[in-house]
mmCIF file of all heavy atoms in Angstrom:
data_model
loop_
_atom_site.group_PDB
_atom_site.id
_atom_site.type_symbol
_atom_site.label_atom_id
_atom_site.label_comp_id
_atom_site.label_asym_id
_atom_site.label_seq_id
_atom_site.Cartn_x
_atom_site.Cartn_y
_atom_site.Cartn_z
ATOM 1 N N SER A 1127 0.812 -1.266 -0.008
ATOM 2 C CA SER A 1127 0.008 0.028 -0.022
ATOM 3 C C SER A 1127 0.906 1.345 -0.056
ATOM 4 O O SER A 1127 0.589 2.314 -0.566
ATOM 5 C CB SER A 1127 -0.948 0.008 1.228
ATOM 6 O OG SER A 1127 -0.301 -0.069 2.399
ATOM 7 N N ALA A 1128 2.111 1.191 0.595
ATOM 8 C CA ALA A 1128 2.984 2.256 0.626
ATOM 9 C C ALA A 1128 3.410 2.543 -0.859
ATOM 10 O O ALA A 1128 3.643 3.724 -1.281
ATOM 11 C CB ALA A 1128 4.073 2.105 1.515
ATOM 12 N N LYS A 1129 3.576 1.481 -1.542
ATOM 13 C CA LYS A 1129 4.138 1.586 -2.906
ATOM 14 C C LYS A 1129 3.020 2.356 -3.785
ATOM 15 O O LYS A 1129 3.510 3.323 -4.541
ATOM 16 C CB LYS A 1129 4.257 0.193 -3.663
ATOM 17 C CG LYS A 1129 4.740 0.207 -5.007
ATOM 18 C CD LYS A 1129 3.757 -0.214 -6.026
ATOM 19 C CE LYS A 1129 2.760 -1.273 -5.822
ATOM 20 N NZ LYS A 1129 1.717 -1.302 -6.725
ATOM 21 N N ASN A 1130 1.718 2.014 -3.615
ATOM 22 C CA ASN A 1130 0.659 2.729 -4.395
ATOM 23 C C ASN A 1130 0.704 4.337 -3.976
ATOM 24 O O ASN A 1130 0.674 5.154 -4.861
ATOM 25 C CB ASN A 1130 -0.614 2.187 -4.007
ATOM 26 C CG ASN A 1130 -0.789 0.902 -4.847
ATOM 27 O OD1 ASN A 1130 -0.140 0.514 -5.666
ATOM 28 N ND2 ASN A 1130 -1.957 0.180 -4.313
ATOM 29 N N ALA A 1131 0.903 4.552 -2.791
ATOM 30 C CA ALA A 1131 0.837 5.973 -2.280
ATOM 31 C C ALA A 1131 2.198 6.630 -2.738
ATOM 32 O O ALA A 1131 2.121 7.851 -3.162
ATOM 33 C CB ALA A 1131 0.785 5.992 -0.757
ATOM 34 N N ILE A 1132 3.299 6.000 -2.717
ATOM 35 C CA ILE A 1132 4.599 6.685 -3.167
ATOM 36 C C ILE A 1132 4.436 7.061 -4.640
ATOM 37 O O ILE A 1132 4.967 8.100 -4.983
ATOM 38 C CB ILE A 1132 5.739 5.603 -2.933
ATOM 39 C CG1 ILE A 1132 6.000 5.475 -1.553
ATOM 40 C CG2 ILE A 1132 6.954 6.020 -3.749
ATOM 41 C CD1 ILE A 1132 7.047 4.495 -1.152
ATOM 42 N N LEU A 1133 3.724 6.231 -5.362
ATOM 43 C CA LEU A 1133 3.715 6.580 -6.845
ATOM 44 C C LEU A 1133 2.982 7.972 -7.075
ATOM 45 O O LEU A 1133 3.346 8.660 -7.909
ATOM 46 C CB LEU A 1133 2.856 5.576 -7.640
ATOM 47 C CG LEU A 1133 3.560 4.195 -7.768
ATOM 48 C CD1 LEU A 1133 2.712 3.086 -8.450
ATOM 49 C CD2 LEU A 1133 4.682 4.406 -8.804
ATOM 50 N N ILE A 1134 1.918 8.132 -6.287
ATOM 51 C CA ILE A 1134 1.199 9.459 -6.273
ATOM 52 C C ILE A 1134 1.967 10.542 -5.732
ATOM 53 O O ILE A 1134 2.073 11.689 -6.278
ATOM 54 C CB ILE A 1134 -0.187 9.313 -5.632
ATOM 55 C CG1 ILE A 1134 -1.037 8.245 -6.460
ATOM 56 C CG2 ILE A 1134 -1.016 10.563 -5.633
ATOM 57 C CD1 ILE A 1134 -2.320 7.925 -5.816
ATOM 58 N N VAL A 1135 2.493 10.369 -4.520
ATOM 59 C CA VAL A 1135 3.057 11.514 -3.680
ATOM 60 C C VAL A 1135 4.395 11.898 -4.484
ATOM 61 O O VAL A 1135 4.543 13.143 -4.503
ATOM 62 C CB VAL A 1135 3.507 11.027 -2.272
ATOM 63 C CG1 VAL A 1135 4.311 12.019 -1.511
ATOM 64 C CG2 VAL A 1135 2.049 10.811 -1.563
ATOM 65 N N GLU A 1136 5.203 11.033 -4.976
ATOM 66 C CA GLU A 1136 6.355 11.416 -5.722
ATOM 67 C C GLU A 1136 5.976 12.354 -6.839
ATOM 68 O O GLU A 1136 6.735 13.410 -6.908
ATOM 69 C CB GLU A 1136 7.057 10.135 -6.253
ATOM 70 C CG GLU A 1136 8.357 10.531 -6.935
ATOM 71 C CD GLU A 1136 9.442 10.793 -5.935
ATOM 72 O OE1 GLU A 1136 9.347 10.195 -4.753
ATOM 73 O OE2 GLU A 1136 10.327 11.574 -6.341
ATOM 74 N N VAL A 1137 5.114 12.077 -7.651
ATOM 75 C CA VAL A 1137 4.762 13.005 -8.909
ATOM 76 C C VAL A 1137 4.151 14.255 -8.289
ATOM 77 O O VAL A 1137 4.447 15.375 -8.780
ATOM 78 C CB VAL A 1137 3.745 12.242 -9.774
ATOM 79 C CG1 VAL A 1137 3.277 13.202 -10.831
ATOM 80 C CG2 VAL A 1137 4.394 11.029 -10.397
ATOM 81 N N ALA A 1138 3.237 14.198 -7.283
ATOM 82 C CA ALA A 1138 2.663 15.418 -6.723
ATOM 83 C C ALA A 1138 3.767 16.276 -6.129
ATOM 84 O O ALA A 1138 3.693 17.620 -6.377
ATOM 85 C CB ALA A 1138 1.692 15.018 -5.704
ATOM 86 N N LEU A 1139 4.750 15.816 -5.511
ATOM 87 C CA LEU A 1139 5.779 16.674 -4.908
ATOM 88 C C LEU A 1139 6.552 17.311 -6.148
ATOM 89 O O LEU A 1139 7.030 18.404 -5.957
ATOM 90 C CB LEU A 1139 6.806 15.934 -4.110
ATOM 91 C CG LEU A 1139 6.399 15.669 -2.613
ATOM 92 C CD1 LEU A 1139 7.318 14.743 -1.837
ATOM 93 C CD2 LEU A 1139 6.397 17.011 -1.844
ATOM 94 N N GLU A 1140 6.906 16.535 -7.177
ATOM 95 C CA GLU A 1140 7.651 17.151 -8.227
ATOM 96 C C GLU A 1140 6.894 18.236 -8.865
ATOM 97 O O GLU A 1140 7.471 19.237 -9.219
ATOM 98 C CB GLU A 1140 7.948 15.955 -9.241
ATOM 99 C CG GLU A 1140 8.996 15.134 -8.875
ATOM 100 C CD GLU A 1140 9.218 13.984 -9.974
ATOM 101 O OE1 GLU A 1140 8.843 14.253 -11.146
ATOM 102 O OE2 GLU A 1140 9.940 13.027 -9.621
ATOM 103 N N LEU A 1141 5.629 18.028 -9.119
ATOM 104 C CA LEU A 1141 4.769 19.065 -9.738
ATOM 105 C C LEU A 1141 4.684 20.334 -8.795
ATOM 106 O O LEU A 1141 4.774 21.393 -9.377
ATOM 107 C CB LEU A 1141 3.393 18.553 -9.947
ATOM 108 C CG LEU A 1141 3.301 17.555 -11.056
ATOM 109 C CD1 LEU A 1141 1.892 16.850 -11.287
ATOM 110 C CD2 LEU A 1141 3.796 17.988 -12.496
ATOM 111 N N HIS A 1142 4.515 20.129 -7.556
ATOM 112 C CA HIS A 1142 4.214 21.234 -6.595
ATOM 113 C C HIS A 1142 5.596 21.942 -6.340
ATOM 114 O O HIS A 1142 5.636 23.137 -6.402
ATOM 115 C CB HIS A 1142 3.591 20.767 -5.339
ATOM 116 C CG HIS A 1142 3.357 21.893 -4.359
ATOM 117 N ND1 HIS A 1142 2.572 22.889 -4.564
ATOM 118 C CD2 HIS A 1142 3.921 22.036 -3.114
ATOM 119 C CE1 HIS A 1142 2.581 23.795 -3.494
ATOM 120 N NE2 HIS A 1142 3.367 23.277 -2.576
ATOM 121 N N VAL A 1143 6.636 21.258 -5.942
ATOM 122 C CA VAL A 1143 7.902 21.834 -5.540
ATOM 123 C C VAL A 1143 8.695 22.191 -6.799
ATOM 124 O O VAL A 1143 9.171 23.434 -6.636
ATOM 125 C CB VAL A 1143 8.600 20.802 -4.584
ATOM 126 C CG1 VAL A 1143 10.007 21.539 -4.251
ATOM 127 C CG2 VAL A 1143 7.843 20.537 -3.347
ATOM 128 N N ARG A 1144 9.011 21.301 -7.611
ATOM 129 C CA ARG A 1144 9.908 21.617 -8.661
ATOM 130 C C ARG A 1144 9.272 22.584 -9.735
ATOM 131 O O ARG A 1144 9.939 23.465 -10.241
ATOM 132 C CB ARG A 1144 10.437 20.298 -9.351
ATOM 133 C CG ARG A 1144 11.574 20.479 -10.371
ATOM 134 C CD ARG A 1144 11.843 19.201 -11.077
ATOM 135 N NE ARG A 1144 10.685 19.015 -11.963
ATOM 136 C CZ ARG A 1144 10.442 17.732 -12.514
ATOM 137 N NH1 ARG A 1144 11.267 16.851 -12.287
ATOM 138 N NH2 ARG A 1144 9.448 17.703 -13.310
ATOM 139 N N ASP A 1145 8.107 22.186 -10.158
ATOM 140 C CA ASP A 1145 7.468 22.898 -11.232
ATOM 141 C C ASP A 1145 6.645 24.205 -10.782
ATOM 142 O O ASP A 1145 6.267 24.958 -11.494
ATOM 143 C CB ASP A 1145 6.593 22.073 -12.071
ATOM 144 C CG ASP A 1145 7.382 20.903 -12.742
ATOM 145 O OD1 ASP A 1145 8.605 21.046 -12.830
ATOM 146 O OD2 ASP A 1145 6.761 19.887 -13.160
ATOM 147 N N GLY A 1146 6.397 24.223 -9.525
ATOM 148 C CA GLY A 1146 5.650 25.440 -8.786
ATOM 149 C C GLY A 1146 4.259 25.419 -9.150
ATOM 150 O O GLY A 1146 3.586 26.536 -9.155
ATOM 151 N N LYS A 1147 3.685 24.241 -9.463
ATOM 152 C CA LYS A 1147 2.125 24.240 -9.725
ATOM 153 C C LYS A 1147 1.354 24.382 -8.372
ATOM 154 O O LYS A 1147 1.889 23.912 -7.403
ATOM 155 C CB LYS A 1147 1.746 23.027 -10.513
ATOM 156 C CG LYS A 1147 2.411 22.992 -11.861
ATOM 157 C CD LYS A 1147 1.805 21.834 -12.728
ATOM 158 C CE LYS A 1147 2.191 21.964 -14.140
ATOM 159 N NZ LYS A 1147 1.784 20.891 -14.954
ATOM 160 N N PRO A 1148 0.142 24.842 -8.447
ATOM 161 C CA PRO A 1148 -0.590 24.890 -7.199
ATOM 162 C C PRO A 1148 -0.824 23.496 -6.584
ATOM 163 O O PRO A 1148 -0.716 22.414 -7.283
ATOM 164 C CB PRO A 1148 -2.026 25.420 -7.644
ATOM 165 C CG PRO A 1148 -1.664 26.168 -8.911
ATOM 166 C CD PRO A 1148 -0.564 25.364 -9.513
ATOM 167 N N LEU A 1149 -1.058 23.485 -5.240
ATOM 168 C CA LEU A 1149 -1.025 22.199 -4.499
ATOM 169 C C LEU A 1149 -2.092 21.358 -4.908
ATOM 170 O O LEU A 1149 -1.893 20.093 -5.252
ATOM 171 C CB LEU A 1149 -1.166 22.618 -2.991
ATOM 172 C CG LEU A 1149 -1.009 21.460 -2.043
ATOM 173 C CD1 LEU A 1149 0.327 20.665 -2.160
ATOM 174 C CD2 LEU A 1149 -1.147 21.917 -0.638
ATOM 175 N N LEU A 1150 -3.303 21.746 -5.022
ATOM 176 C CA LEU A 1150 -4.461 20.895 -5.467
ATOM 177 C C LEU A 1150 -4.336 20.418 -6.818
ATOM 178 O O LEU A 1150 -4.540 19.150 -7.124
ATOM 179 C CB LEU A 1150 -5.700 21.706 -5.205
ATOM 180 C CG LEU A 1150 -7.081 20.962 -5.306
ATOM 181 C CD1 LEU A 1150 -7.119 19.883 -4.272
ATOM 182 C CD2 LEU A 1150 -8.176 21.846 -5.092
ATOM 183 N N GLU A 1151 -3.896 21.318 -7.732
ATOM 184 C CA GLU A 1151 -3.727 20.806 -9.122
ATOM 185 C C GLU A 1151 -2.525 19.820 -9.228
ATOM 186 O O GLU A 1151 -2.697 18.869 -9.983
ATOM 187 C CB GLU A 1151 -3.290 22.104 -9.963
ATOM 188 C CG GLU A 1151 -2.948 21.728 -11.477
ATOM 189 C CD GLU A 1151 -2.516 23.017 -12.212
ATOM 190 O OE1 GLU A 1151 -2.829 24.111 -11.771
ATOM 191 O OE2 GLU A 1151 -1.905 22.803 -13.297
ATOM 192 N N SER A 1152 -1.572 19.953 -8.339
ATOM 193 C CA SER A 1152 -0.412 18.913 -8.319
ATOM 194 C C SER A 1152 -0.981 17.544 -7.918
ATOM 195 O O SER A 1152 -0.634 16.638 -8.515
ATOM 196 C CB SER A 1152 0.713 19.384 -7.435
ATOM 197 O OG SER A 1152 1.186 20.618 -7.881
ATOM 198 N N ALA A 1153 -1.778 17.600 -6.867
ATOM 199 C CA ALA A 1153 -2.250 16.306 -6.314
ATOM 200 C C ALA A 1153 -3.307 15.625 -7.303
ATOM 201 O O ALA A 1153 -3.168 14.468 -7.583
ATOM 202 C CB ALA A 1153 -3.089 16.587 -5.078
ATOM 203 N N VAL A 1154 -4.190 16.400 -7.987
ATOM 204 C CA VAL A 1154 -5.078 15.718 -8.996
ATOM 205 C C VAL A 1154 -4.363 15.326 -10.253
ATOM 206 O O VAL A 1154 -4.586 14.108 -10.696
ATOM 207 C CB VAL A 1154 -6.185 16.962 -9.399
ATOM 208 C CG1 VAL A 1154 -6.928 16.370 -10.533
ATOM 209 C CG2 VAL A 1154 -7.107 17.234 -8.157
ATOM 210 N N ASN A 1155 -3.297 16.080 -10.743
ATOM 211 C CA ASN A 1155 -2.592 15.685 -11.827
ATOM 212 C C ASN A 1155 -1.723 14.358 -11.582
ATOM 213 O O ASN A 1155 -1.628 13.557 -12.395
ATOM 214 C CB ASN A 1155 -1.728 16.708 -12.378
ATOM 215 C CG ASN A 1155 -2.437 17.860 -13.053
ATOM 216 O OD1 ASN A 1155 -3.615 17.622 -13.424
ATOM 217 N ND2 ASN A 1155 -1.856 19.011 -13.199
ATOM 218 N N ALA A 1156 -1.183 14.394 -10.361
ATOM 219 C CA ALA A 1156 -0.471 13.120 -9.909
ATOM 220 C C ALA A 1156 -1.301 11.830 -9.881
ATOM 221 O O ALA A 1156 -0.882 10.837 -10.307
ATOM 222 C CB ALA A 1156 0.237 13.387 -8.643
ATOM 223 N N ALA A 1157 -2.502 11.982 -9.347
ATOM 224 C CA ALA A 1157 -3.443 10.939 -9.143
ATOM 225 C C ALA A 1157 -3.908 10.420 -10.722
ATOM 226 O O ALA A 1157 -3.958 9.306 -10.976
ATOM 227 C CB ALA A 1157 -4.714 11.287 -8.607
ATOM 228 N N ARG A 1158 -4.023 11.321 -11.648
ATOM 229 C CA ARG A 1158 -4.454 11.116 -12.918
ATOM 230 C C ARG A 1158 -3.129 10.337 -13.655
ATOM 231 O O ARG A 1158 -3.392 9.327 -14.346
ATOM 232 C CB ARG A 1158 -4.849 12.339 -13.763
ATOM 233 C CG ARG A 1158 -6.151 12.706 -13.514
ATOM 234 C CD ARG A 1158 -6.503 13.921 -14.449
ATOM 235 N NE ARG A 1158 -7.872 14.438 -13.919
ATOM 236 C CZ ARG A 1158 -8.235 15.711 -14.104
ATOM 237 N NH1 ARG A 1158 -7.268 16.628 -14.444
ATOM 238 N NH2 ARG A 1158 -9.431 16.100 -13.739
#
């Protein structure tokens, strides 16, 4: 279950921190 969560969190962190996208948009895009 941690593996599934890591897949989403890793991308969301990259989008939010590295690319500077808004937090909610980063989370939704990572899940997609």
Side-chain angles (χ1 to χ4, degrees):
S1127 61
K1129 182 254 324 165
N1130 285 347
I1132 288 168
L1133 288 172
I1134 295 171
V1135 170
E1136 184 73 30
V1137 173
L1139 273 174
E1140 284 182 17
L1141 292 173
H1142 179 62
V1143 174
R1144 190 188 67 197
D1145 298 343
K1147 294 192 176 181
L1149 188 57
L1150 194 55
E1151 179 184 337
S1152 299
V1154 170
N1155 287 342
R1158 282 187 186 142

